[in-house]
Amino acid sequence: MTEGNFVDYVKIHVASGNGGKGSAHLHREKYVAKGGPDGGDGGRGGHVILRGNQNLWTLFHLKFKRHIKAGHGEHGSKQRSTGGDGEDQYIEVPLGTVIRDTETQEILHEITEDGQELVIAEGGKGGLGNWHFKSSTNQTPRYAQPGIPGEERDITLELKILADVGLVGFPNAGKSTLLSVITAAKPKIADYEFTTLKPNLGIVEYRDFKTFVVADIPGIIEGAAEGKGIGHRFLRHIERNSTLLFLIPADAPDIPKQYEILVDELRRYNPEMLDKDRLIAISKSDMLDSELKTELKAELDTAFDVPYLFISSVAQQGLTELKDKLWEMLNQEAG
């Protein structure tokens, strides 16, 4: 998936179909006197339905389709014939899509399962034909019900990525490099801050053909929860990850301090995110000789209350242990 094709926020206008009119037809047939009312009912207007699709990873297909209308119900006709229902319109969305009312910002629903359907705009009911209104005192009613109009509303679709592991770190921590090494993803990598402007997803192939999904979230900076930088736009993508992998470079001036800042940003954005399993990876550790690593280990054993390990994406060091640990944590989560 290229960055330009990653769309995680769209606003669309949806309109369901109007119900068809009931018929006020009176039966006419040779040799049948006073055949009476036989007008059929109108058909239901089409619904607008959201449907979860596990094969979609982004809302890009809706970027240029901002108005979605369902079909109108057909009118009733003679011989009590009911009009056809209007055509339903299905909007396929990736799993993890949150639906909001654009005007009130109220969350209407979330799509989290493949094939899950949600009627977001209900079609109008068809009107009753005149044969429903026949009575002993009104044997030839010459009226029928009109159809009920459909609904119109503006909705906002917001994607929260359903990945197993979310990579959390400052810009230049090496998240994109790690993703490119342990998965087949090809994120943009360069030696400047905010190389990653959109979340990147990669599938890690584990032993015995098992897999899990890792999401590289754009770098978080101090103050991201208040809207600084670009990381705040994507903090919501971390909400759905089972496990958070904090990536801190070995050459950081104060590794425990960086970890605390990252945790604090998540706490201020959504305190529930601190309930997730956490693992710390000290990246770029190929720069450390054995003596420095021993010193750092002694410091980190005291500072950290969560598991950590040393890795190097470039030198391919510690990556097997990292996958093993993540798999173990994800299985605990599943259990």
Side-chain angles (χ1 to χ4, degrees):
M1 182 203 312
T2 62
E3 281 190 1
N5 288 348
F6 187 90
V7 176
D8 62 350
Y9 185 91
V10 294
K11 292 181 179 180
I12 56 176
H13 180 81
V14 296
S16 60
N18 300 330
K21 292 190 296 189
S23 170
H25 189 267
L26 298 175
H27 186 68
R28 293 286 181 267
E29 191 179 342
K30 201 174 182 182
Y31 308 122
V32 177
K34 298 181 180 178
D38 71 344
D41 303 340
R44 167 184 68 77
H47 299 320
V48 178
I49 303 170
L50 291 170
R51 180 163 58 193
N53 185 336
Q54 64 182 3
N55 297 318
L56 293 174
W57 293 96
T58 170
L59 297 168
F60 179 74
H61 61 295
L62 298 173
K63 185 176 181 181
F64 304 107
K65 193 175 182 182
R66 297 302 176 87
H67 292 81
I68 294 172
K69 294 184 178 181
H72 298 312
E74 296 178 358
H75 303 321
S77 58
K78 60 185 180 181
Q79 296 179 334
R80 297 190 185 179
S81 294
T82 302
D85 290 342
E87 184 182 357
D88 294 334
Q89 279 286 351
Y90 286 88
I91 306 173
E92 304 274 341
V93 295
L95 307 189
T97 300
V98 176
I99 302 99
R100 291 180 187 273
D101 184 292
T102 302
E103 193 174 336
T104 64
Q105 287 300 300
E106 175 195 358
I107 293 179
L108 304 174
H109 207 73
E110 299 180 30
I111 301 287
T112 55
E113 295 175 16
D114 187 45
Q116 180 183 348
E117 293 186 359
L118 169 70
V119 178
I120 200 69
E122 205 167 311
K125 291 182 179 177
L128 298 176
N130 65 346
W131 71 274
H132 287 280
F133 305 109
K134 181 180 177 182
S135 67
S136 57
T137 56
N138 185 12
Q139 295 191 2
T140 54
R142 297 175 184 272
Y143 53 84
Q145 283 183 335
I148 295 176
E151 298 178 341
E152 287 194 43
R153 70 191 314 176
D154 292 306
I155 59 170
T156 301
L157 302 180
E158 193 177 281
L159 177 62
K160 294 183 181 181
I161 289 175
L162 286 172
D164 299 305
V165 179
L167 292 178
V168 184
F170 284 95
N172 267 355
K175 301 189 304 298
S176 298
T177 306
L178 176 63
L179 191 74
S180 70
V181 171
I182 63 173
T183 76
K186 293 181 170 51
K188 187 193 293 181
I189 301 169
D191 189 23
Y192 57 86
E193 294 193 348
F194 300 124
T195 316
T196 304
L197 300 177
K198 303 285 174 73
N200 290 302
L201 290 179
I203 298 174
V204 177
E205 292 185 1
Y206 191 59
R207 304 171 189 190
D208 303 323
F209 305 104
K210 299 184 180 85
T211 60
F212 57 91
V213 180
V214 176
D216 168 22
I217 311 300
I220 297 173
I221 63 168
E222 198 167 359
E226 279 78 50
K228 292 182 184 175
I230 58 169
H232 74 284
R233 265 192 62 200
F234 306 107
L235 280 170
R236 66 173 178 270
H237 291 303
I238 309 173
E239 289 185 67
R240 297 288 178 78
N241 305 148
S242 306
T243 299
L244 299 180
L245 175 60
F246 290 81
L247 217 61
I248 303 172
D251 60 352
D254 189 338
I255 292 175
K257 176 71 175 171
Q258 282 210 1
Y259 172 69
E260 283 305 317
I261 292 171
L262 291 169
V263 170
D264 190 53
E265 289 304 322
L266 297 186
R267 182 189 295 113
R268 288 194 292 184
Y269 177 73
N270 181 353
E272 290 179 14
M273 291 210 274
L274 301 188
D275 296 334
K276 298 178 185 294
D277 286 339
R278 285 179 255 168
L279 176 64
I280 300 169
I282 310 300
S283 63
K284 307 179 184 179
S285 60
D286 54 314
M287 298 187 297
L288 304 173
D289 57 28
S290 56
E291 190 179 332
L292 272 173
K293 194 177 281 189
T294 305
E295 284 179 22
L296 190 55
K297 205 169 183 315
E299 180 191 341
L300 299 183
D301 283 341
T302 313
F304 288 153
D305 56 354
V306 294
Y308 71 91
L309 37 81
F310 292 94
I311 67 164
S312 170
S313 305
V314 176
Q316 306 268 309
Q317 293 172 3
L319 299 183
T320 303
E321 292 86 343
L322 177 64
K323 291 182 191 178
D324 287 342
K325 186 62 180 173
L326 288 172
W327 182 259
E328 178 192 325
M329 293 170 76
L330 290 171
N331 276 356
Q332 284 175 357
E333 185 79 18

